[in-house]
């Protein structure tokens, strides 16, 4: 009977050790599987953060480009209005001086009136060419200033 108790005790000890080892192995495998699942979620979270950063960068770039376009449009419109105002002022001065010359030429004679009309037409052409040149020059200056301003 003592041998039976010793055998039972040895078998119980062996079974208890086997159960402890099996429990430790199964628990370790479960923890490894849990760690693997968590590792698989990390790239998704990183990709989400990267996409959010890219969206912020694109938004900032679009806002900057829209600001530059608004500045260009405002500069071009301002240059065109300045040039038109200059052309209108020059044309008014030319018209008034031509009217004075024509009035004097009519008093002096017909040949001088024809010369005055030709001179007035020539002056008007010069004013128109000057206005176009000023508009183009203002446009180029405004665009160049805007590019240099946004470059730095």
């Amino acid at each position: 009977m003592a041998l039976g108790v010793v055998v039972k005790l040895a078998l119980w000890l062996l079974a208890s050790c086997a159960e402890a080892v099996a429990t430790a192995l199964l628990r370790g495998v479960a923890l490894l599987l849990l760690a693997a699942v968590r590792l698989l979620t990390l790239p998704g979270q990183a990709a989400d953060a990267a996409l959010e950063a890219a969206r912020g960068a694109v938004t900032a770039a679009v806002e900057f480009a829209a600001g530059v376009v608004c500045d260009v449009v405002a500069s071009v419109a301002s240059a065109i209005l300045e040039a038109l105002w200059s052309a209108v002022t020059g044309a008014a001065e030319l018209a008034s001086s031509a009217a004075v010359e024509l009035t004097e030429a009519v008093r002096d004679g017909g040949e001088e009136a024809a010369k005055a009309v030709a001179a007035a037409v020539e002056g008007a052409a010069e004013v128109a060419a000057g206005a176009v040149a000023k508009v183009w020059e203002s446009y180029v200056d405004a665009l160049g200033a805007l590019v240099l301003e946004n470059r730095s």
Side-chain angles (χ1 to χ4, degrees):
M1 180 153 135
L3 184 61
V5 171
V6 172
V7 170
K8 275 186 173 182
L9 185 61
L11 287 176
W12 176 80
L13 185 60
L14 183 65
S16 293
C17 286
E19 181 185 0
V21 169
T23 302
L25 283 176
L26 289 176
R27 188 169 292 230
V29 168
L31 289 174
L32 281 175
L33 285 175
L34 184 62
V37 167
R38 287 193 180 176
L39 281 176
L40 291 176
T41 61
L42 287 178
Q45 291 173 349
D48 186 43
L51 287 175
E52 186 67 27
R55 184 177 70 97
V58 168
T59 301
V62 167
E63 289 175 358
F64 178 73
V68 169
V69 167
C70 286
D71 288 346
V72 167
V73 168
S75 295
V76 168
S78 174
I80 288 173
L81 290 175
E82 269 185 40
L84 287 175
W85 180 253
S86 174
V88 166
T89 305
E93 289 175 3
L94 178 67
S96 65
S97 67
V100 169
E101 285 182 23
L102 284 176
T103 305
E104 291 175 1
V106 167
R107 289 183 195 157
D108 294 340
E111 187 175 314
E112 289 182 25
K115 289 180 184 178
V117 168
V121 169
E122 183 179 327
E126 288 177 12
V127 167
V132 169
K134 284 182 181 180
V135 167
W136 180 253
E137 183 179 325
S138 295
Y139 169 75
V140 169
D141 288 345
L143 193 59
L146 187 65
V147 167
L148 289 177
E149 176 183 313
N150 289 324
R151 185 176 181 197
S152 57

